[in-house]
Amino acid sequence: MTDRKPTTCMRCAVGCGYRQRTPDDGPGFVDVRGDDDHPTNRGRTCSRGVSETVDPGGERLTEPLIRRGGTLRPTDWDTALGTIAMRIIEALRESNDNVAVLGSGQQTNEAAYALGKLARGGFGTRHYDANTTLCMASAVRAYVQAFGSDAPPPTYEDVPKAQTHVIWGANPKIAHPVLYRWIAESAAEDDGELIVVDPVESETAADADLHVRPEPGTDLALARAVLASVVDSDSVDRRFVERHTEGFEAMVGSLPAIEVAAETAGVSVERVAELAAAFDARTIVYWGMGVNQSVQGTGTARSLIDCCLATGNLGPGSGPFSLTGQANSMGNRVCASKSSWPGYRSFEDPAHRKAIANAWGVPLSRLPDDSGPGFVRIIDAIARDNVDVCWTVATNPVAGMPDAGHVTAALDDTFLVAQDAFRSDTVELADVVLPAATWGESEGTVMNMERRVSRVSAVRDPPEGVRQDVDVIAAVADRVVPELFESTRPDPESLFDEVAALTRGTTADVSGISYDRLSEELAVRWPAPEETDQGGYRYYDGDEENATGGGIDSGDAWSFRTDSGRARFSNASHEGVPEPIDEQYPLTLTTGRRPDAYNTGVRTRTDAGDEGATTARIHPETIADYLRAFDRGETVIESRRAAVAVAVEPDGNVPPGLVWLPVHNPAANELTLSAADPDSAEPNLKQCAVGLSAPDRTDADLATGSQRAGGTGSYP
């Protein structure tokens, strides 16, 4: 047997350290376990992470493919790369923006950096983004607007220090099991409390001391009601607000009447008061996709931050803490030149653009001066024939994006390159497919949601004919912009050193982190400008050992990255859902995480029945109200975009009038709409209007999945 080698789990963004090994002969892993020495998890693991590592499932891609005569057929790397390079060069002659590049939170920091360097510095395209925009963009915008920089203030070390844990629009018992254990253990203490805000009684909500159930899409109204209750009950930490914030009076002037906002959210005034009272203790507010994936996601996230600011819940043991889904969403934001240049350098700042151009050795005029329209609007540009080539890397937009029919039609009409380790919905549409190594076959680093950088180590070689992401990216660059990388097989450590140097002096400084340091310490939290530095509670420079959170006052210990040095309140207000229910579509569709799900499910999609029908969870009362729309345990869900046949699971945990489907499932996203948050460009995946109709047993399309919408439904 080989020795166990340290690595980082890539199943979610908790960032657990693993030790894994392979047999001397043969494929696969024979032993995967938690790393007792890793500072993130201290040996703890979850069954999802271990099982995904040992047996990732899915149909592995092991050779390049090219479309000939309408069919994907095997080819060699030279042919695949030559075809791609020719099409990209032709497209760039028309415009830099004629090429779109879509990356992923599944890439290592090194691969994400290399892809961003090629997209921005090599192609010069504005049409570049990553699927992290579909998950975390609203939280990112909220942090930047409130604090002047991205990333949550608390760390995992603050979880046991908190008394109250408010989980809003998230299900970490399923999505982040190791982190959830820490939360549950802290909440189980004598002075601890767990509060969950979720329309559905999720696995996490079932454990809660208090479960608040707003109507889908009304989280902003509820958050503003809670703020109004905090102000009315005189629970504001006036000293903290006066010394460390700005915009408080304007925020108060924008608040709605508690009764009106509570009614909009479908929550009693008494429940609002209970939520507001939770902030009297040391409180951490965690939120997830239920908040972010909304046209009002940024405003809602800002309002949750406002709740912390108003009550002085900023400091060790308290504060706002967004929960990240993908393993390296944070690293993508810091390294990939997606919404900012490396180290959160601003696109709009000419000095930053010049520094990047000089470091990369490219003309300043080639670099875009804004971050582009975002993932959803890039697809719209492709649909309008404004983009001739689209290259997807470790992402599956056909399944993961809203209004999947629109996405499919757009990508089917462009020259599509899909780079992935597994066969996916997007791969099926591609003109050229590039097989990539998985994380167990790749070298690099990742950043977890609390800003810790740790190594990902290859314990085996990829299959013959498969290349690591960084090698594929550099090979494409060599044929299009050969001066950009020094080698067609770049050393991941050199790439890390390059991006780390670009972060020096920025708010996300990782220049004091190196592969050698990570070999010794396993994981280091940024900012780390020196080899002995490690970041702690964000924006707080006081004594964390003696700080207690929940309204601490430490004089000048706060240093926010805003122009004034103060944290900023917001004035967002609820403006309704983008697609209200009506007579034709009288029910609301929402989506959530399944215990066995992983991203878009190409490795773990086990929720399909014998005929390929996805399972919807619907309250028995709703089933009774629309009984004629059901036949032998199945129904058809219709939205304004499509109709999808589903199996049905009666579930009293889903409120009446709501239909629940698995998130990022291609069937669900046939139905969802592509309205997006104007601040973050994150799509509204958690709410749309639907109806139910009886399955048509003579329609082969409905029997196996979906058709475009057009019916009016069948109701009692």
Side-chain angles (χ1 to χ4, degrees):
M1 296 289 179
T2 59
D3 293 334
R4 292 188 184 92
K5 195 171 184 179
T7 191
T8 306
C9 177
M10 293 282 282
R11 184 70 191 240
C12 78
V14 174
C16 295
Y18 278 9
R19 286 190 175 267
Q20 57 190 10
R21 64 180 178 181
T22 58
D24 293 330
D25 298 305
F29 298 94
V30 295
D31 185 52
V32 178
R33 63 180 61 179
D35 189 341
D36 294 336
D37 297 325
H38 200 281
T40 296
N41 58 313
R42 299 295 181 188
R44 286 194 170 188
T45 64
C46 72
S47 59
R48 293 191 337 151
V50 171
S51 62
E52 168 65 18
T53 305
V54 174
D55 181 17
E59 182 180 349
R60 190 70 195 271
L61 295 168
T62 58
E63 57 188 340
L65 305 173
I66 194 165
R67 190 168 297 280
R68 300 187 192 280
T71 303
L72 285 171
R73 301 182 186 277
T75 190
D76 57 81
W77 274 99
D78 280 344
T79 300
L81 292 170
T83 302
I84 293 166
M86 178 187 68
R87 295 300 294 264
I88 290 175
I89 291 169
E90 288 176 352
L92 292 175
R93 288 195 184 111
E94 296 287 330
S95 164
N96 290 0
D97 293 339
N98 203 18
V99 175
V101 181
L102 301 174
S104 170
Q106 293 298 302
Q107 297 173 272
T108 62
N109 293 319
E110 294 77 4
Y113 171 67
L115 187 66
K117 182 177 181 179
L118 177 55
R120 301 298 200 189
F123 304 157
T125 183
R126 294 175 62 254
H127 289 140
Y128 165 59
D129 203 353
N131 57 18
T132 54
T133 296
L134 306 178
C135 305
M136 295 305 300
S138 294
V140 170
R141 291 305 304 157
Y143 288 135
V144 171
Q145 291 172 7
F147 302 128
S149 183
D150 179 20
T155 72
Y156 294 160
E157 292 161 11
D158 295 295
V159 173
K161 299 175 185 177
Q163 295 169 282
T164 302
H165 302 266
V166 178
I167 298 174
W168 198 306
N171 188 9
K173 188 171 184 177
I174 296 304
H176 305 94
V178 172
L179 173 59
Y180 181 70
R181 285 181 221 159
W182 303 329
I183 294 171
E185 288 167 3
S186 177
E189 298 291 332
D190 289 341
D191 59 351
E193 187 176 23
L194 176 63
I195 298 173
V196 174
V197 180
D198 196 319
V200 174
E201 185 169 336
S202 66
E203 291 84 350
T204 303
D207 293 343
D209 299 297
L210 173 64
H211 179 199
V212 182
R213 305 178 75 154
E215 295 288 337
T218 65
D219 297 273
L220 179 54
L222 178 58
R224 302 304 281 181
V226 171
L227 270 169
S229 183
V230 165
V231 173
D232 281 9
S233 63
D234 199 25
S235 298
V236 174
D237 186 331
R238 298 283 176 181
R239 188 173 185 187
F240 182 86
V241 167
E242 290 170 4
R243 298 186 69 176
H244 305 299
T245 72
E246 62 184 5
F248 176 75
E249 295 301 330
M251 183 275 291
V252 171
S254 72
L255 291 175
I258 298 172
E259 296 79 6
V260 173
E263 183 179 3
T264 298
V267 174
S268 70
V269 172
E270 291 74 23
R271 276 284 186 264
V272 170
E274 288 179 276
L275 258 178
F279 289 87
D280 291 342
R282 287 195 308 278
T283 301
I284 296 179
V285 182
Y286 315 83
W287 74 88
M289 302 309 104
V291 167
N292 292 337
Q293 290 176 337
S294 163
V295 293
Q296 300 179 140
T298 302
T300 306
R302 287 291 307 271
S303 295
L304 298 181
I305 294 171
D306 288 346
C307 287
C308 295
L309 294 177
T311 57
N313 271 294
L314 205 67
S318 65
F321 200 162
S322 55
L323 300 178
T324 306
Q326 290 194 83
N328 200 32
S329 180
M330 178 74 72
N332 195 280
R333 284 137 58 186
V334 172
C335 300
S337 302
K338 182 176 72 77
S339 55
S340 61
W341 301 115
Y344 298 151
R345 294 173 180 266
S346 170
F347 269 82
E348 289 74 27
D349 189 324
H352 286 313
R353 288 179 67 244
K354 185 175 182 180
I356 296 297
N358 290 340
W360 288 351
V362 300
L364 179 63
S365 59
R366 186 184 296 171
L367 299 184
D369 57 7
D370 67 66
S371 58
F375 210 114
V376 172
R377 301 305 170 228
I378 289 173
I379 296 295
D380 291 343
I382 295 171
R384 293 192 299 268
D385 293 326
N386 292 337
V387 175
D388 285 344
V389 177
C390 179
W391 178 13
T392 67
V393 181
T395 188
N396 186 17
V398 170
M401 290 191 66
D403 195 2
H406 170 67
V407 177
T408 299
L411 294 180
D412 203 28
D413 281 345
T414 193
F415 183 81
L416 178 63
V417 180
Q419 178 176 326
D420 214 324
F422 297 90
R423 199 118 184 173
S424 72
D425 313 76
T426 302
V427 164
E428 298 304 324
L429 295 181
D431 295 284
V432 180
V433 178
L434 303 176
T438 67
W439 61 276
E441 303 158 354
S442 300
E443 293 288 339
T445 59
V446 291
M447 297 182 194
N448 71 358
M449 72 177 86
E450 60 145 4
R451 295 175 276 120
R452 267 199 173 114
V453 181
S454 59
R455 284 293 310 277
V456 171
S457 301
V459 292
R460 66 182 182 195
D461 293 328
E464 185 178 355
V466 174
R467 299 183 182 182
Q468 292 189 34
D469 276 337
V470 292
D471 297 334
V472 179
I473 294 162
V476 173
D478 184 58
R479 291 171 181 254
V480 180
V481 277
E483 73 280 1
L484 197 63
F485 293 99
E486 294 182 357
S487 169
T488 57
R489 292 290 179 95
D491 174 36
E493 183 173 3
S494 296
L495 287 172
F496 182 83
D497 291 343
E498 186 177 319
V499 69
L502 287 174
T503 70
R504 184 173 291 114
T506 70
T507 59
D509 195 330
V510 300
S511 61
I513 303 176
S514 65
Y515 274 33
D516 286 343
R517 183 177 179 185
L518 293 176
S519 294
E520 294 292 326
E521 301 179 43
L522 296 179
V524 179
R525 192 188 300 119
W526 61 262
E530 303 295 338
E531 292 183 0
T532 56
D533 290 341
Q534 177 161 213
Y537 198 99
R538 194 102 200 267
Y539 315 117
Y540 180 68
D541 302 321
D543 181 0
E544 292 192 27
E545 292 297 321
N546 298 319
T548 58
I552 63 170
D553 182 75
S554 303
D556 297 324
W558 293 99
S559 54
F560 300 106
R561 303 302 189 263
T562 60
D563 291 340
S564 66
R566 294 169 173 261
R568 297 180 288 220
F569 281 97
S570 69
N571 304 315
S573 60
H574 177 73
E575 296 179 356
V577 297
E579 191 172 73
I581 61 174
D582 57 21
E583 289 186 4
Q584 186 174 0
Y585 301 101
L587 304 174
T588 297
L589 172 70
T590 195
T591 60
R593 189 76 61 187
R594 290 183 62 95
D596 55 2
Y598 180 69
N599 292 344
T600 59
V602 296
R603 288 177 261 175
T604 55
R605 199 177 293 158
T606 60
D607 64 328
D610 293 338
E611 295 182 342
T614 298
T615 300
R617 296 162 55 191
I618 304 176
H619 194 282
E621 181 181 308
T622 305
I623 295 173
D625 288 342
Y626 298 92
L627 196 57
R628 286 192 293 175
F630 294 84
D631 181 18
R632 285 174 278 178
E634 295 184 352
T635 189
V636 175
I637 306 174
E638 297 182 345
S639 75
R640 289 176 172 84
R641 291 152 294 282
V644 175
V646 297
V648 177
E649 176 186 340
D651 190 344
N653 294 326
V654 176
L658 194 67
V659 176
W660 186 100
L661 283 174
V663 69
H664 292 323
N665 182 286
N669 282 330
E670 286 280 334
L671 302 165
T672 52
L673 76 162
S674 60
D677 183 303
D679 279 336
S680 67
E682 184 162 349
N684 191 84
L685 285 166
K686 292 300 182 185
Q687 180 277 329
C688 70
V690 296
L692 302 178
S693 64
D696 182 353
R697 296 296 177 182
T698 65
D699 190 324
D701 288 334
L702 279 181
T704 58
S706 67
Q707 67 178 18
R708 299 307 290 171
T712 57
S714 175
Y715 307 118

